[in-house]
Amino acid sequence: MRGILYCYMRQADKVQQFKQDPKPSECLHSVFSAHTGDEVFSHEEYSHLQINAVSLFLLYLVEMISSGLQVIYNTDEVSFIQNLVFCVERAYRVPDFGVWERGSKYNNGSPELHSSSVGLAKAALEAINGFNLFGKQGCSWSVIFVDFDAHNRNRQTLCSLLPRESRSHNTDAALLPCLSYPAFALDDEVLFSQTLDKIIRKLKGKYGFKRFLRDGYRTALEDKTRRYYKPAEIKLFDGIECEFPLFFIFMIIDGVFRGNPAQVKEYQDLLDPLLQHTCEGCPVVPKYYYVPADFVELEKKNPGSQKRFPSNSGCDGKFFLWGQAVYIIAKLLADKLISPKDIDPIGRYVAPEDQRNVSMRFSNQGPLENDLVVHVALIAESQRLQVFLNTYGIQTQTPQQVEPIQIWAQKELVKAYFHLGVNDKLGLSGRPDRPIGCLGTSKIYRILGKTVVCYSIIFDLSDFYMSQDVMMLIDDIKNALQFIKQYWKMHGRPLFVVLIREDNIRGSRFNPILDMLAAFRKGIVGGVKVHVDRVQTLISGAVVEQLDFLRITETEEAPVFKRLEELDLPKHSKVKRQSSTPNASELEQQPDVNINDWKSKSTYEILQKFNDCNCLASQALLSSILLKREGPNFITKDGTVAEHIERIYRRAGSKKLWSVVRFAASLLGKLVDSLAPSITNVLVQGKQVTLGAFGQEEEVISNPLSPGVIKKIIYEKCHLQDEREAVVQQELVIHIGWIISNSPELFSGMLKIRIGWIIHAMKYELKIRAGDMPAKDLYQMSPSEVKQLLLDILQPQQQGRGWLNRRQIDGSLNRAPAGFYDRVWQILERTPNGLIVAGKFLPQQPTLSDMTMYEMNFSLLVEDMLQNIDQPEYRQIIVELLMVISVILERNPELEFQDKVDLDKVVQEAFHDFQKDHGLPKGSEKQDDMTAFYNTHPTGKKGTCSYLSKAVITLLLEGEMKPSNDDPCTVS
């Protein structure tokens, strides 16, 4: 362990770079010279990014120190380990190369998000949080801190990725050491059984487990002179993958831990014949068993029929050390010479029946019956606001009344954490500038002798207009409470500070806020039990975090933190409540100038008009012309153009002119907080996100990006037709990030979250609701109304709706029926020349050679094929057509398509049949109008499926039938 630490610490500069920007080229090396500790291969030569390796090191560091060993000797090493923790905390959003150092299954040099890496990171964070690296002799400055919210994101990500290993690996034996010994990373028994069953079902063989399907490693057909495979090459390895006895050993250890002697015996019996022996008769574990080149064809024809041969580990004095070490542990456990507690002193494994009695700072308990009560402190920002609320029976405290306890914004806590893990000698800065989440702000902190409580990021004064909508704030508070209830796993109650500002109760905002505060008094908010009391009373039941790393010597200057100050207003002066208006009328949101008329006019004329008109919408339009023509720093008599637009933005916000606010926000290039984490929330659910306006080019996001890159995409792709689109897409990303974390079932069947198309679906919904009246303008709706509309369209479609409307909404959401992608795979198997739709071609080869049926990457490829379709209702008809083709082929195994299948042509044939039946003559005006077809129910007589089936069967019968031995039509 000291040797690995020595090698790691020599690369402190890489740790510093990686925690700021986690790129494969900046990561810690995972291969070193055993003699000197030097780097052996460059990043171009070797796939070093393996988060699981660093996580395993941290986990064993804790296990070993807990057993009484001393591994860490000085504070430089402590600060280095703390920085390793900062790197591992982001495992949930950093694609790596995984245990097998190859990343994607195709072995083409691309990293992926691996369940095994995220799981090991989660286990390491649980183990090392609050742990003293100096053991029992340690003091406060050798304690390691873990961000509770980052740990929780790893937990959520692991549960959403499983039972898959990654996008290309449907399952993988690497999950065994993650889910069982040594990590025991999963606390959901059902998901554990589901994942383990899948590993056994797909990978278990006579000689061990395959690492994963189509794994070419050390097979007879692998070209050992090349580092990467060619496209479609992995098909060669189908059925001849090497089998590793190592995983039988992991199953023996798992059986011992879980008290399952039948499992132990089963895998011991399987393992014993596979062991080789040295000259002295000592058992040796071969690394793998392979199919020799001469037997490959026979094995492929009849899987499991051929004898496999062991690798030469042990024969020439070289041992497969991993296998040998795990074998010795398994043998000691099985012979009862050691107990599970001896190799797991920190108790990573907790039997289900004991989980309630286990006390840990980060509990790895499963989903227990959660009846958590959240403690709430109501804080008014001024005394006069407190007096005013008191008249309505709402008891609050002011910042002065909670003294000596201080109230901080979460960004001040972030500033405090900057001092954690700083080491000038090693060139390491402290914790990166990452916000503290809801769970972190629900603890109490002791900092430099002060007691501090924090309010959540949702109460921060934001520059983005969503904070102007008080209904959004109320919604955020309910979401935060539900989130805390669901994910709080510590002993002690969470303390949630509700900060009430004078601005929150102005005008029409007051009643909704009052209703929410009344709900707090009653003790239940958004389905969560709450207990409201004074901060001084609630502190006794809270979790206290001692931030002792902020040690200040006499020569150092203490850091300055800004606490929440009480507004200095006369106590009995009146709270101004009428400075805000109800939602503005549509008339106020419409400009009284036409942009096209003014584009050609001179700058002088535009400035004249700008000064003369009082309409904010018109001023915003005129400002946009000036901005594009003269730039943001063009000076007028009242300041620059940018300052003008900022004023319009503020005034429109207070008047609730949402369309004007959005237009101005877009002109100013505003970016909402938490945009990057929201996109990451969607990606870790196994989805992709696309940004860009409906009908225009879209940008597909498959891996987490930085806020700067996302801003560039949004303002390049969403600005083309309507400036307001750029900020509405940001709103939707924030909403979807929250919804998918709390209610992932609403996105079932949606693999690609196309933001522009979802906005299109929302506009459709508004049209449907309006009937014959003009539809409501989406851009004039408040952010909370936009969120509610989004939730409405995500619900399953109402039965009373016409089929056109249903197809429009489902098509816009890119929703597909259960098993859809597997059915497309089955179609492709019977379509040698591939499928084409809207000019996008899906070939049979190399697709079937490269991928496997249940692989996420294949599903994404099918989505890519459908991407060019520009009408949502037509997309839905194509989805229905593919389901029809699949059913027909399933019921007629003797049929297959001879030529390339043009799905557009099949739909056209079906539509022509439909026209004939409905008496639409050729050459009529409505010849190409498919509205009636889209509005026809799919099933039953004369449903769309009957027309599609007929067209498909006609196409199939044009080809040849495959002869079958038991064909009932054959006479002789």
Side-chain angles (χ1 to χ4, degrees):
M1 292 295 280
R2 294 284 307 164
I4 296 170
L5 181 63
Y6 169 76
C7 296
Y8 275 173
M9 286 183 72
R10 293 182 66 186
Q11 299 185 38
D13 57 323
K14 288 190 171 66
V15 173
Q16 176 63 17
Q17 290 168 324
F18 187 80
K19 75 177 180 188
Q20 307 294 352
D21 183 13
K23 288 191 300 203
S25 57
E26 309 295 349
C27 72
L28 270 176
H29 280 220
S30 49
V31 177
F32 309 99
S33 161
H35 303 292
T36 63
D38 291 339
E39 299 169 10
V40 179
F41 303 116
S42 70
H43 285 283
E44 289 74 34
E45 296 171 290
Y46 195 84
S47 304
H48 286 289
L49 179 48
Q50 294 164 40
I51 288 169
N52 53 291
V54 181
S55 302
L56 193 67
F57 174 75
L58 293 176
L59 178 61
Y60 264 88
L61 191 65
V62 178
E63 294 273 20
M64 287 181 170
I65 294 168
S66 297
S67 72
L69 294 170
Q70 189 174 357
V71 183
I72 302 298
Y73 287 93
N74 57 49
T75 51
D76 293 337
E77 291 170 3
V78 172
S79 53
F80 182 78
I81 296 295
Q82 181 65 64
N83 277 271
L84 284 187
V85 168
F86 295 147
C87 295
V88 167
E89 281 176 348
R90 298 316 275 280
Y92 67 93
R93 52 165 297 165
V94 180
D96 72 345
F97 293 102
V99 175
W100 312 129
E101 305 172 348
R102 288 187 169 186
S104 155
K105 180 172 78 174
Y106 316 124
N107 188 23
N108 55 10
S110 57
E112 287 188 320
L113 206 58
H114 291 90
S115 297
S116 52
S117 293
V118 176
L120 267 160
K122 171 189 175 280
L125 295 175
E126 282 173 351
I128 207 164
N129 177 58
F131 186 73
N132 200 313
L133 294 180
F134 289 174
K136 288 174 183 165
Q137 296 80 39
C139 44
S140 60
W141 52 81
S142 49
V143 172
I144 294 296
F145 290 81
V146 171
D147 177 357
F148 197 6
D149 291 272
H151 161 263
N152 187 59
R153 283 188 204 105
N154 281 300
R155 175 206 290 272
Q156 283 180 292
T157 304
L158 178 64
C159 292
S160 63
L161 284 171
L162 288 173
R164 292 178 187 278
E165 159 71 339
S166 70
R167 275 198 184 137
S168 66
H169 295 80
N170 187 257
T171 188
D172 196 306
L175 288 166
L176 285 176
C178 163
L179 303 184
S180 183
Y181 172 79
F184 297 104
L186 194 58
D187 39 42
D188 182 334
E189 282 298 313
V190 176
L191 190 53
F192 171 81
S193 303
Q194 192 185 349
T195 309
L196 188 62
D197 290 349
K198 193 177 190 182
I199 295 168
I200 293 169
R201 192 172 70 250
K202 302 254 184 192
L203 304 177
K204 184 180 169 187
K206 280 193 287 193
Y207 296 87
F209 282 74
K210 297 170 180 176
R211 301 195 309 180
F212 52 89
L213 297 177
R214 297 188 173 179
D215 172 25
Y217 178 77
R218 296 291 183 261
T219 58
L221 300 184
E222 185 182 50
D223 182 349
K224 294 171 183 62
T225 61
R226 280 186 288 115
R227 183 179 170 195
Y228 297 131
Y229 296 159
K230 294 174 184 170
E233 190 175 352
I234 61 169
K235 175 74 173 167
L236 293 174
F237 315 125
D238 200 0
I240 60 158
E241 303 93 337
C242 292
E243 292 180 359
F244 288 71
L246 164 75
F247 298 108
F248 283 171
I249 304 172
F250 272 111
M251 293 302 288
I252 293 169
I253 296 173
D254 181 72
V256 174
F257 267 94
R258 293 180 193 279
N260 186 343
Q263 181 179 313
V264 174
K265 183 164 189 330
E266 178 193 349
Y267 286 97
Q268 276 180 327
D269 292 346
L270 287 168
L271 179 69
D272 285 345
L274 306 176
L275 297 174
Q276 304 296 301
H277 292 85
T278 61
C279 308
E280 296 83 21
C282 299
V284 173
V285 180
K287 186 171 183 179
Y288 55 84
Y289 275 80
Y290 67 99
V291 178
D294 298 346
F295 299 169
V296 163
E297 285 310 312
L298 293 167
E299 177 68 14
K300 283 193 171 191
K301 280 178 191 163
N302 188 2
S305 61
Q306 302 305 303
K307 187 183 175 190
R308 287 169 180 255
F309 290 81
S311 61
N312 64 357
S313 297
C315 305
D316 52 6
K318 287 183 181 175
F319 289 98
F320 174 42
L321 292 176
W322 183 14
Q324 206 62 28
V326 179
Y327 172 71
I328 293 166
I329 291 170
K331 200 87 180 96
L332 290 168
L333 281 170
D335 294 346
K336 296 192 167 51
L337 295 170
I338 60 170
S339 74
K341 281 183 183 167
D342 294 322
I343 58 166
D344 181 25
I346 60 170
R348 283 298 308 150
Y349 175 70
V350 183
E353 62 272 16
D354 298 336
Q355 284 187 348
R356 285 179 180 275
N357 309 321
V358 174
S359 174
M360 295 187 190
R361 304 246 356 247
F362 271 155
S363 162
N364 61 346
Q365 295 180 21
L368 302 177
E369 201 54 52
N370 195 343
D371 203 22
L372 182 74
V373 177
V374 179
H375 285 172
V376 174
L378 301 178
I379 304 293
E381 72 171 348
S382 68
Q383 260 194 304
R384 76 172 185 186
L385 177 58
Q386 181 188 35
V387 169
F388 174 74
L389 290 171
N390 208 12
T391 60
Y392 290 89
I394 306 295
Q395 305 290 324
T396 59
Q397 287 177 283
T398 63
Q400 274 183 0
Q401 287 166 349
V402 301
E403 287 179 354
I405 298 163
Q406 295 188 3
I407 301 169
W408 286 11
Q410 62 84 31
K411 59 175 181 277
E412 294 302 306
L413 193 54
V414 171
K415 261 170 41 185
Y417 272 113
F418 284 163
H419 298 267
L420 174 62
V422 176
N423 190 294
D424 295 334
K425 222 187 288 181
L426 296 171
L428 296 169
S429 64
R431 181 181 183 270
D433 188 358
R434 301 169 185 165
I436 307 280
C438 288
L439 300 171
T441 53
S442 297
K443 295 192 275 190
I444 305 243
Y445 292 88
R446 293 281 300 157
I447 303 171
L448 294 174
K450 303 182 188 80
T451 303
V452 174
V453 294
C454 289
Y455 56 85
S456 166
I457 195 168
I458 60 176
F459 298 103
D460 281 358
L461 288 170
S462 168
D463 193 32
F464 200 75
Y465 61 85
M466 283 165 76
S467 62
Q468 297 269 358
D469 183 355
V470 78
M471 298 306 292
M472 281 302 304
L473 175 64
I474 291 168
D475 210 23
D476 285 346
I477 290 170
K478 288 178 182 171
N479 283 339
L481 289 170
Q482 285 161 357
F483 183 82
I484 291 166
K485 179 189 172 180
Q486 190 174 354
Y487 294 112
W488 184 265
K489 299 272 182 181
M490 287 188 283
H491 294 270
R493 304 275 189 197
L495 172 56
F496 187 71
V497 175
V498 175
L499 178 58
I500 310 155
R501 300 183 190 272
E502 290 208 352
D503 192 49
N504 297 148
I505 63 160
R506 297 196 195 282
S508 62
R509 302 173 186 185
F510 178 57
N511 286 339
I513 285 282
L514 192 61
D515 290 344
M516 182 194 66
L517 293 174
F520 274 116
R521 270 185 61 192
K522 286 179 187 161
I524 195 142
V525 178
V528 179
K529 289 180 185 172
V530 294
H531 170 67
V532 180
D533 212 328
R534 295 165 70 249
V535 174
Q536 288 89 335
T537 312
L538 297 175
I539 270 189
S540 58
V543 173
V544 180
E545 191 80 86
Q546 305 268 359
L547 300 198
D548 292 320
F549 53 82
L550 277 160
R551 298 187 313 285
I552 307 299
T553 61
E554 288 174 16
T555 52
E556 285 180 309
E557 205 173 303
V560 179
F561 298 108
K562 194 176 164 190
R563 63 182 179 183
L564 177 69
E565 296 290 351
E566 194 167 306
L567 292 187
D568 191 16
L569 300 163
K571 184 175 175 180
H572 297 292
S573 61
K574 201 164 180 197
V575 176
K576 291 177 187 166
R577 278 197 41 221
Q578 295 311 318
S579 63
S580 172
T581 57
N583 267 347
S585 68
E586 288 200 19
L587 198 64
E588 276 185 274
Q589 306 227 30
Q590 300 296 343
D592 53 15
V593 297
N594 186 323
I595 192 163
N596 293 324
D597 296 346
W598 286 88
K599 270 183 179 171
S600 53
K601 301 210 174 179
S602 69
T603 299
Y604 175 75
E605 287 175 288
I606 293 169
L607 285 169
Q608 283 288 102
K609 178 66 179 171
F610 184 92
N611 292 328
D612 293 344
C613 76
N614 294 320
C615 168
L616 283 174
S618 301
Q619 287 184 2
L621 270 184
L622 295 167
S623 301
S624 74
I625 301 169
L626 287 176
L627 183 71
K628 284 166 191 165
R629 188 186 294 176
E630 308 289 353
N633 300 320
F634 179 69
I635 296 173
T636 68
K637 66 175 186 178
D638 295 322
T640 64
V641 172
E643 286 165 354
H644 271 302
I645 300 171
E646 191 70 52
R647 276 197 292 274
I648 293 166
Y649 176 66
R650 301 259 164 250
R651 286 174 59 203
S654 65
K655 290 187 166 192
K656 297 191 179 172
L657 298 166
W658 296 114
S659 176
V660 182
V661 169
R662 288 186 174 105
F663 187 69
S666 182
L667 293 178
L668 292 164
K670 298 271 184 197
L671 196 71
V672 67
D673 295 327
S674 305
L675 195 59
S678 296
I679 285 181
T680 303
N681 282 350
V682 179
L683 297 177
V684 299
Q685 294 284 343
K687 316 278 187 195
Q688 282 185 334
V689 179
T690 71
L691 297 171
F694 176 81
Q696 305 289 322
E697 188 190 353
E698 295 167 281
E699 182 83 22
V700 180
I701 301 174
S702 304
N703 290 319
L705 299 175
S706 66
V709 176
I710 297 168
K711 179 176 180 177
K712 189 166 179 280
I713 293 169
I714 281 178
Y715 281 102
E716 278 179 7
K717 302 281 182 193
C718 308
H719 228 246
L720 306 170
Q721 289 173 317
D722 190 322
E723 274 88 350
R724 298 168 298 181
E725 178 93 7
V727 287
V728 170
Q729 291 219 3
Q730 293 182 52
E731 282 180 54
L732 255 63
V733 167
I734 295 293
H735 298 329
I736 288 168
W738 257 111
I739 297 166
I740 205 165
S741 293
N742 298 322
S743 309
E745 68 283 354
L746 288 178
F747 293 88
S748 62
M750 295 165 63
L751 198 58
K752 231 177 210 173
I753 310 293
R754 297 171 78 178
I755 306 294
W757 278 56
I758 291 175
I759 289 174
H760 193 61
M762 292 163 81
K763 290 176 180 174
Y764 261 139
E765 179 67 19
L766 292 173
K767 268 189 207 163
I768 295 164
R769 289 180 184 182
D772 299 331
M773 303 292 290
K776 209 171 173 184
D777 182 359
L778 177 73
Y779 300 114
Q780 292 182 9
M781 295 166 69
S782 69
S784 52
E785 289 171 329
V786 168
K787 183 177 183 182
Q788 189 53 53
L789 180 60
L790 171 65
L791 282 165
D792 291 347
I793 64 158
L794 288 173
Q795 301 296 338
Q797 291 296 299
Q798 296 101 321
Q799 293 305 311
R801 292 246 166 121
W803 279 100
L804 170 64
N805 294 339
R806 289 203 212 179
R807 287 185 174 116
Q808 284 172 332
I809 300 286
D810 280 340
S812 297
L813 294 175
N814 282 234
R815 231 190 254 287
F820 170 69
Y821 304 106
D822 301 344
R823 286 182 174 274
V824 176
W825 177 275
Q826 289 161 346
I827 294 168
L828 212 53
E829 286 180 319
R830 311 265 287 277
T831 316
N833 293 303
L835 301 165
I836 188 165
V837 61
K840 203 92 172 178
F841 180 51
L842 180 64
Q844 188 193 57
Q845 295 300 348
T847 310
L848 298 188
S849 303
D850 238 356
M851 299 180 175
T852 48
M853 183 173 176
Y854 304 106
E855 199 175 300
M856 179 74 77
N857 280 348
F858 175 71
S859 307
L860 292 169
L861 198 63
V862 174
E863 276 299 326
D864 195 45
M865 175 183 80
L866 301 174
Q867 180 113 11
N868 275 11
I869 300 171
D870 56 6
Q871 278 183 297
E873 55 271 42
Y874 185 69
R875 182 191 193 277
Q876 217 51 22
I877 288 287
I878 292 288
V879 168
E880 287 171 31
L881 169 62
L882 287 164
M883 295 298 281
V884 165
I885 295 173
S886 160
V887 171
I888 291 171
L889 290 176
E890 197 173 37
R891 291 178 186 171
N892 299 276
E894 74 285 357
L895 295 177
E896 73 170 30
F897 292 103
Q898 297 301 306
D899 299 317
K900 189 188 293 182
V901 177
D902 188 331
L903 300 176
D904 298 316
K905 277 188 182 168
V906 178
V907 172
Q908 280 308 312
E909 281 301 315
F911 178 55
H912 289 322
D913 262 359
F914 174 83
Q915 283 180 311
K916 279 182 210 164
D917 283 0
H918 290 74
L920 285 173
K922 282 205 170 186
S924 70
E925 285 178 25
K926 293 195 169 179
Q927 190 183 341
D928 294 327
D929 183 4
M930 294 178 71
T931 308
F933 187 66
Y934 295 141
N935 211 13
T936 304
H937 56 88
T939 52
K941 194 178 178 188
K942 301 215 168 169
T944 52
C945 286
S946 62
Y947 292 106
L948 293 169
S949 301
K950 189 177 170 188
V952 171
I953 288 165
T954 306
L955 187 64
L956 275 166
L957 295 177
E958 285 172 5
E960 293 176 20
M961 289 199 193
K962 286 192 293 188
S964 166
N965 293 335
D966 53 352
D967 192 336
C969 299
T970 308
V971 178
S972 60

